[in-house]
Amino acid sequence: MRDIVTVREAVSRAKADGLPVSEYALRTWIKNGEIPARKAGNKILLYYPNLMKYLQCDDNDSCSS
């Protein structure tokens, strides 16, 4: 699987991995800078392992390094 994904691909993949997340929540986290992402044309791309790390942390402040 690819690790660079669009927001919609990330949401689908997270749900398949048993970590449900809404597209709205993911876009909010990206907008707030909690998950790094880049805009390419009209798409937002992110590194899927960063999303997994963010979702699996109980206290996101202690997970950022």
Side-chain angles (χ1 to χ4, degrees):
M1 279 191 165
R2 298 178 322 152
D3 282 338
I4 305 297
V5 294
T6 65
V7 170
R8 287 190 180 159
E9 290 170 339
V11 168
S12 291
R13 192 165 160 189
K15 286 181 182 178
D17 288 343
L19 296 167
V21 60
S22 71
E23 189 173 326
Y24 178 82
L26 180 52
R27 289 183 187 278
T28 300
W29 296 330
I30 291 169
K31 183 179 177 182
N32 292 339
E34 298 173 55
I35 298 174
R38 296 286 182 263
K39 189 163 184 169
N42 63 347
K43 295 185 182 203
I44 297 172
L45 302 175
L46 62 135
Y47 184 57
Y48 186 74
N50 286 344
L51 173 60
M52 288 294 93
K53 180 180 176 187
Y54 182 83
L55 291 175
Q56 292 172 341
C57 290
D58 290 334
D59 177 7
N60 289 309
D61 289 335
S62 67
C63 292
S64 54
S65 48

